[in-house]
Amino acid sequence: MGVDLSPGMLRVAARDHAHVAFAAGDMTRLPLATGVLGGALAWYSTVHSSDEQVDAMAAEFARVLAPGGVLCVAFKVGPDGSAPASWLLHAYGRPVRLPVYRRPVDELCAILGRHGLTETARVVRQPEDREATPQGFVLFRRAARVAGSAS
């Protein structure tokens, strides 16, 4: 299933992937029950979000992942994620004004780690084509339930 905040992006996704269910939602309040996902993909989903928003997303990812569940996060790598590195002013043929955050890999991993998600792998690749910065891809795993625990 896919979740997006934008009705326009949901229409494109439904058109291009008719066999997949899509729902409108905010990644800080996913329309899912606790512990139901074996895996989640946040493909550049944090790029327009402040550290505080990413922290709320991390808590939500940890909530919806089943014990042992996996999260893959793709993002733009940069030296400091505390403030937007730039602004996106045009996208999909329309004017927009969205902040673009670039984060150090260790910084993003620390945010997700505070919510019980453990880094299991990372890849940073150099920019390609029109990309301005390296791109990061990190896998996380939610802790498996320990016998006798209510996690």
Side-chain angles (χ1 to χ4, degrees), residues 95 117 138 145:
L117 298 170
V138 182
R145 190 171 290 152

Side-chain angles (χ1 to χ4, degrees), residues 21 33 39 51-52 57 65 71 74 95 115 123 127 133 135 137 142 148 150:
D51 285 352
E52 294 78 22
M57 290 176 200
L65 283 172
L71 170 66
H115 297 280
V123 172
T133 62
Q135 307 296 297
F137 309 90
R142 181 171 177 245

